[in-house]
Amino acid sequence: MSKTMKALVKHHAGPGARLEQVTKPEPQAGEVLVKVSAAAICGTDVHIYKWDEWSAGRIKPPLVFGHEFCGHVVELGPGVDDIATGTRVTAEGHFVCNVCEFCRTGRGHICRDVEIIGVDTAGCFAEYVRVPRSNIWVLDDDVPDNVAAIHDPYGNAVHSVLIDDIVGKTALVTGCGPIGLASIAIAKLAGATRIYASDINPYRLDLATKMGADVVFNVTEEEMVSTVLAETDNLGVDVLLEMSGHPTAINDGLRALKNGGWVSLLGITPDKKVSVDLNDGVIFKGASVYGINGRLMYKTWYQMQALLRAGLDLTPMITHNFIMDEFEQAFELAASGNSGKIILYP
Ligand code: NAD
Ligand code: ZN
């Protein structure tokens, strides 16, 4: 077998990336080697590709990037004997230490020493990727490759939506990127009664409707808060799923929240600091706010599997397919915002 493979490499500390022949990874003790069938582009990958301030501070080139994928197990590292080669899998991309206080109390998603695949270790925009066996998730046969490849953001959405009671509740999803879009379908299937969604991009709002949103707001053109209040007896929505990280969306979302409601904050604010009216937005409302980081290991994964088995359809949000050689085109499209999920085939 060849000792090298084709991979998309962040080759220097600057914009762009290069397709290169690199050394094929070898699974170490407790790891498996996965042959990648499909990968997906995440916002993080676009940051790495463009080389913004965050990537400059975090990424150490040369690095094979990418963290959303599915494939088949092709090699077992020393000590791994409980999974067969040929098994179709995806993986939790946060590799945790298993010994810190958080890991040892069942909260590996906030591990102190987490390493993220495709950020801190070699990623999946490649023919092969090395993954700890304990991070492997075996897929049901009927999950198509494009859905299998987006389990990472799908899991972010499941974690955000199912962290508190959603059954019989009204919800507002601010930000209809891939995670917001998945959240709409998840909330609907899980029993939310009416779902409002907002974005600034008509393409994304169209996808929001396809994913099951009942009412969508283009906040560059329409007043969201007063409409939501008017539709809810002046009470507001029970649940706010904040998936944009935009200060206006956070503030308007809180204004549209019902007393006693709950909030998942998933969107990451570019400037770190956001000014929020905590008094009226959270405290006097008696609201509960959850910070969402990644996916619960592995409670969220069982919920993801259960929702797919119950008929959750994520395919409307998967809008484009490219072969890896067309990566420039794919990243340009991802950066434009005029796409849902983009799949790359090695
Ligand atoms: P995305 O950037 O594709 O989606 C964000 C969406 O918000 C875009 O469609 C954008 O048009 C929209 N938006 C911008 N301003 C808005 C406004 N004022 N009102 C409403 N919508 C607005 O990203 P994504 O991949 O769907 O991820 C969503 C967010 O979650 C991002 O901020 C991302 O960085 C973050 N994220 C967090 C975690 C976590 O573990 N907490 C994991 C992955 C991603
Ligand atoms: Zn840990």
Side-chain angles (χ1 to χ4, degrees):
M1 230 199 270
S2 168
K3 290 243 189 275
T4 66
M5 65 170 184
K6 194 149 112 178
L8 189 59
V9 182
K10 184 78 211 179
H11 57 293
H12 71 156
R18 230 166 37 196
L19 267 180
E20 290 179 356
Q21 281 297 126
V22 301
T23 308
K24 184 179 154 189
E26 266 181 44
Q28 305 298 301
E31 296 180 347
V32 301
L33 189 70
V34 176
K35 185 172 200 303
V36 178
S37 338
I41 298 180
C42 167
T44 305
D45 303 320
V46 178
H47 292 304
I48 296 173
Y49 186 78
K50 288 193 187 165
W51 201 250
D52 63 4
E53 205 183 306
W54 170 82
S55 358
R58 177 77 185 259
I59 305 295
K60 311 256 174 300
L63 174 81
V64 176
F65 62 124
H67 56 272
E68 303 179 2
F69 71 99
C70 68
H72 293 87
V73 173
V74 288
E75 257 182 71
L76 309 180
V80 179
D81 59 6
D82 66 335
I83 190 163
T85 55
T87 308
R88 198 163 150 270
V89 301
T90 179
E92 166 57 58
H94 289 189
F95 303 162
V96 300
C97 76
N98 289 313
V99 293
C100 74
E101 174 185 335
F102 309 105
C103 286
R104 296 183 75 175
T105 52
R107 298 174 295 164
H109 67 296
I110 47 171
C111 169
R112 205 182 52 181
D113 290 319
V114 67
E115 287 198 320
I116 302 177
I117 189 172
V119 172
D120 304 307
T121 69
C124 66
F125 291 156
E127 289 177 86
Y128 299 91
V129 63
R130 211 159 57 93
V131 183
R133 161 64 184 102
S134 57
N135 282 66
I136 289 289
W137 184 261
V138 177
L139 294 158
D140 284 348
D141 290 341
D142 60 356
V143 177
D145 272 357
N146 57 359
V147 172
I150 63 166
H151 268 43
D152 172 296
Y154 166 39
N156 292 138
V158 170
H159 184 190
S160 307
V161 176
L162 299 187
I163 198 160
D164 202 332
D165 224 354
I166 192 84
V167 181
K169 302 287 174 74
T170 52
L172 167 62
V173 178
T174 48
C176 298
I179 304 178
L181 290 170
S183 299
I184 293 168
I186 295 159
K188 193 122 223 186
L189 184 63
T193 50
R194 192 164 172 79
I195 300 175
Y196 301 88
S198 73
D199 205 287
I200 54 172
N201 175 344
Y203 184 94
R204 294 257 163 114
L205 289 169
D206 183 47
L207 290 177
T209 303
K210 291 192 174 121
M211 294 303 282
D214 298 290
V215 182
V216 299
F217 298 99
N218 183 337
V219 292
T220 62
E221 295 169 355
E222 305 160 85
E223 230 298 300
M224 177 179 79
V225 180
S226 55
T227 309
V228 170
L229 290 174
E231 278 209 18
T232 54
D233 242 351
N234 243 350
L235 293 172
V237 291
D238 299 295
V239 179
L240 168 63
L241 303 169
E242 207 306 297
M243 315 247 144
S244 76
H246 197 281
T248 312
I250 298 169
N251 276 290
D252 286 351
L254 289 175
R255 285 167 59 212
L257 183 70
K258 193 186 273 188
N259 285 1
W262 63 268
V263 181
S264 277
L265 291 181
L266 169 106
I268 294 168
T269 54
D271 301 331
K272 291 200 177 178
K273 290 187 182 142
V274 179
S275 167
V276 174
D277 181 351
L278 273 183
N279 298 356
D280 289 336
V282 178
I283 298 166
F284 296 137
K285 283 194 172 171
S288 305
V289 178
Y290 300 96
I292 303 294
N293 186 355
R295 300 144 296 275
L296 301 178
M297 294 170 201
Y298 280 78
K299 178 179 173 183
T300 303
W301 289 82
Y302 286 95
Q303 294 172 324
M304 291 155 68
Q305 181 183 58
L307 288 164
L308 288 172
R309 287 178 179 174
L312 180 74
D313 184 11
L314 295 174
T315 53
M317 59 177 274
I318 304 169
T319 54
H320 297 82
N321 300 287
F322 291 94
I323 55 166
M324 198 65 82
D325 301 75
E326 300 167 324
F327 71 91
E328 284 171 327
Q329 223 180 313
F331 275 93
E332 212 170 287
L333 179 65
S336 78
N338 290 324
S339 61
K341 217 61 208 172
I342 300 173
I343 310 291
L344 288 177
Y345 294 91

